[in-house]
Amino acid sequence: MSTRVLIADDEALMRTALKIFIESADDMEVVGEASDGVAAVHLATELQPDVVLMDMQMPRMDGVEATKAVLAASPRTRVIAVTTFSSTSYVVPALRAGATAYLVKDTEPSALVAAVREALDGTCVLSPSVTSELVASIRETPEPPRPVTLSAVETLSERELDVVRLLGQGLSNSEIAAELHLSEATVKTHLGNVMAKWGVRDRVQTLIHAARAGIVRFD
């Protein structure tokens, strides 16, 4: 069955572009379009889409409040924030509201389609610029969390290190799989192993730990 996508953006040109990108994939279809947050919530409640591509700045109701309302009305729906801004002042509220992924609007069409597929599995996908902003913000906090110990880094296999380094470049699971000639399932297994060894719960925390351990750099 096709992945059913709802597009919410107040710019008609952007809605058209996103629709073209999504419908270029054989396994996806756009089931509705909304030009403001209230309409997005109404359509999500009515259509129960698999994924909503949600702009963060819209009239009548912004993307953060719309995300909360969509997930309350349609808990199985995944929301992907698609917006112009990568600063933490926009990213953190969107993720706290329940967005599964956060992409900036200059994301390549192939990366957008890949993010939709990964969001269905609950994978948090972030644009590289967003990841850099988050890591930089956490580094600058007065009391940073305890860094990864050397022994924890040494427990990673060479393949797990490869996966983490590519994750630090902003690659999605599918892109990492292609780069390393692995299946996506194998990449997910490696990431799961890394998270278990480091005691972290998601990709963002994995990248923060990797940055503190010197495995990846965000310059």
Side-chain angles (χ1 to χ4, degrees), residues 131 135 139 147-170 176 190-191 193-195 197-198 200 203-219:
T131 300
V135 171
R139 278 176 169 173
V148 177
T149 62
L150 181 61
S151 60
V153 175
E154 289 177 338
T155 63
L156 299 188
S157 68
E158 284 299 318
R159 185 57 83 191
E160 289 165 352
L161 284 170
D162 290 340
V163 169
V164 172
R165 290 187 183 107
L166 292 174
L167 186 67
Q169 295 177 24
I176 293 172
H190 286 314
L191 280 175
N193 290 341
V194 172
M195 292 177 194
K197 289 176 179 179
W198 285 356
V200 299
R203 294 161 74 97
V204 174
Q205 288 190 349
T206 298
L207 287 171
I208 292 168
H209 277 61
R212 291 201 178 108
I215 296 173
V216 299
R217 294 183 63 182
F218 302 99
D219 298 323

Side-chain angles (χ1 to χ4, degrees), residues 72-87:
S74 181
R76 294 184 179 180
T77 295
R78 304 292 188 182
V79 175
I80 298 178
V82 183
T83 183
T84 306
F85 307 98
S86 61
S87 68

Side-chain angles (χ1 to χ4, degrees), residues 2-84:
S2 293
T3 298
R4 303 170 69 252
V5 179
L6 171 66
I7 297 172
D9 197 294
D10 62 338
E11 295 182 12
L13 185 61
M14 191 65 197
R15 293 198 305 274
T16 299
L18 290 173
K19 183 175 182 178
I20 291 171
F21 298 160
I22 292 300
E23 295 193 336
S24 68
D26 294 336
D27 58 341
M28 298 181 191
E29 63 175 323
V30 174
V31 295
E33 298 180 37
S35 59
D36 61 62
V38 172
V41 176
H42 173 76
L43 284 175
T45 303
E46 177 185 348
L47 300 173
Q48 299 285 303
D50 300 306
V51 175
V52 176
L53 301 181
M54 182 79 76
D55 187 17
M56 288 294 101
Q57 288 195 318
M58 293 186 292
R60 296 213 290 169
M61 181 185 292
D62 67 27
V64 171
E65 292 305 314
T67 295
K68 294 177 183 177
V70 165
L71 295 177
S74 181
R76 294 184 179 180
T77 295
R78 304 292 188 182
V79 175
I80 298 178
V82 183
T83 183
T84 306

